[in-house]
């Protein structure tokens, strides 16, 4: 099994076993080669090449402008680095919403062109046919994503906790069941009360991965740039910063600039190349 053999690739049965044995699943986003290399080295089971690449790396205000080509481009860099983690490519806005056929075609492109292990899409019961087409016709693993789905933030009235009242909580429970029946292998729960996340986790047999959904999910996911403190947007309550990388990078850049201006960097011996005096004399 992947866990006990070190470098072996994480599989869907491994994730399922982890849920059944109560072993928590760790997941983070990555969009490039060095980050993916570090995440894989640290031994996290899941990597998401999320459409959050739009806010974190590409400088967009939201994930809406992200194109399938952007995800393919970043996922290819991630896949060159990863040996063990299971890598999920995010399906961006409008790449899966129009018809099951178009969704299957686009999921197929993500698999074929980036060689990811599975895809993720945002939405509930209304996407059951789309999920079925991708999973059953395409044979492509799909991860679901319900609760606060950023691609629908405008319809949801902003970036708010979802499922606090009875009707909306029931709808999320229904969405989880529909998606499970349609064939998803795991489900992201974003920004839902922890009691509801617990209930959903108990009522589905697939692993749930929470982000702002409390400690009772089968696993957790964070956006890499939030986790290492390299994000310049407002940090939601659910984010825990494990590093303050932005200020460390800024300090390093200021030190470099000062050394360049003072002529301290580069040093002759440590950072420069020498030619022989003989060749020099002949020039
Ligand atoms: O794109 C992303 O980073 C996501 C996570 C927030 C789950 O969808």
């Amino acid at each position: 099994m992947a866990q006990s053999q070190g470098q072996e690739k994480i599989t869907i049965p491994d994730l399922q076993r982890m849920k059944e044995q109560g072993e928590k699943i760790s997941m983070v986003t990555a969009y490039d080669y060095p980050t993916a290399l570090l995440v894989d080295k640290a031994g996290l089971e899941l990597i998401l090449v999320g459409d959050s690449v739009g806010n974190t790396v590409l400088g967009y205000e939201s994930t809406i402008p992200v194109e399938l080509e952007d995800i393919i481009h970043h996922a290819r860099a991630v896949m060159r680095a990863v040996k063990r983690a299971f890598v999920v490519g995010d399906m961006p806005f409008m790449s899966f919403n129009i018809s099951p056929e178009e969704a299957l075609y686009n999921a197929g492109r993500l698999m074929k062109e980036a060689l990811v292990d599975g895809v993720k899409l945002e939405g509930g019961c209304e996407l059951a046919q789309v999920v079925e087409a991708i999973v059953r016709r395409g044979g492509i693993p799909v991860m679901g994503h319900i609760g606060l789905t950023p691609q629908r933030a405008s319809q949801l009235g902003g970036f708010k906790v979802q499922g606090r009242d009875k009707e909306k909580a029931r709808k999320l429970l229904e969405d989880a069941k529909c998606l499970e029946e349609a064939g998803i292998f795991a489900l992201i729960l974003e920004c839902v009360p922890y009691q509801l996340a617990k209930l959903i986790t108990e009522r589905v047999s697939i692993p749930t991965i929470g982000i702002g959904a409390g400690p009772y999910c089968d696993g957790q996911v964070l956006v890499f740039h939030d986790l290492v403190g390299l994000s310049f947007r407002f940090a939601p309550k659910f984010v825990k910063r494990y590093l303050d990388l932005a200020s460390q990078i800024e300090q390093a850049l200021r030190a470099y600039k000062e050394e360049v201006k003072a002529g301290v960097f580069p040093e002759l011996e440590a950072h420069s190349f020498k030619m022989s005096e003989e060749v020099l004399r002949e020039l």
Side-chain angles (χ1 to χ4, degrees), residues 37-242:
L37 211 60
L38 291 171
V39 173
D40 211 32
K41 198 171 161 205
L44 283 77
E45 290 86 14
L46 283 164
I47 291 179
L48 173 64
V49 185
D51 62 355
S52 52
V53 69
N55 324 75
T56 53
V57 171
L58 302 177
Y60 295 134
E61 289 291 325
S62 75
T63 57
I64 300 297
V66 174
E67 300 284 352
L68 185 65
E69 283 68 23
D70 294 323
I71 301 290
I72 291 173
H73 175 77
H74 287 274
R76 290 176 77 169
V78 165
M79 291 311 292
R80 281 180 213 120
V82 171
K83 301 237 175 328
R84 178 174 175 271
F86 188 98
V87 180
V88 178
D90 221 353
M91 305 240 358
F93 182 64
M94 282 301 135
S95 67
F96 59 92
N97 317 65
I98 294 164
S99 68
E101 281 66 33
E102 196 173 8
L104 175 55
Y105 177 78
N106 285 330
R109 278 197 63 197
L110 201 38
M111 287 288 281
K112 211 171 160 65
E113 295 177 37
L115 301 177
V116 290
D117 302 304
V119 302
K120 170 174 91 58
L121 49 87
E122 297 181 10
C125 290
E126 71 285 356
L127 288 172
Q129 284 187 347
V130 164
V131 171
E132 267 180 33
I134 301 175
V135 174
R136 307 209 205 282
R137 267 200 278 155
I140 297 171
V142 175
M143 174 179 272
H145 182 165
I146 60 171
L148 172 55
T149 42
Q151 291 173 15
R152 293 170 191 225
S154 181
Q155 194 179 45
L156 297 173
F159 292 82
K160 295 179 178 160
V161 177
Q162 301 294 309
R164 272 194 164 133
D165 64 50
K166 189 168 74 182
E167 195 189 321
K168 294 210 174 96
R170 282 202 173 137
K171 168 78 172 80
L172 286 174
L173 276 161
E174 241 176 70
D175 284 338
K177 287 308 273 184
C178 278
L179 291 168
E180 180 179 28
E181 278 160 27
I184 59 166
F185 71 93
L187 178 62
I188 297 224
L189 302 175
E190 179 163 355
C191 259
V192 300
Y194 65 87
Q195 301 96 323
L196 178 60
K198 182 170 186 282
L199 214 56
I200 295 174
T201 301
E202 286 163 0
R203 290 195 189 170
V204 294
S205 56
I206 47 158
T208 60
I209 312 287
I211 173 161
Y216 303 115
C217 296
D218 299 307
Q220 298 293 326
V221 57
L222 278 179
V223 168
F224 175 83
H225 291 67
D226 290 340
L227 186 158
V228 298
L230 196 53
S231 143
F232 304 96
R233 59 180 187 155
F234 159 79
K237 178 183 176 186
F238 59 76
V239 168
K240 180 168 177 186
R241 281 207 162 153
Y242 289 81

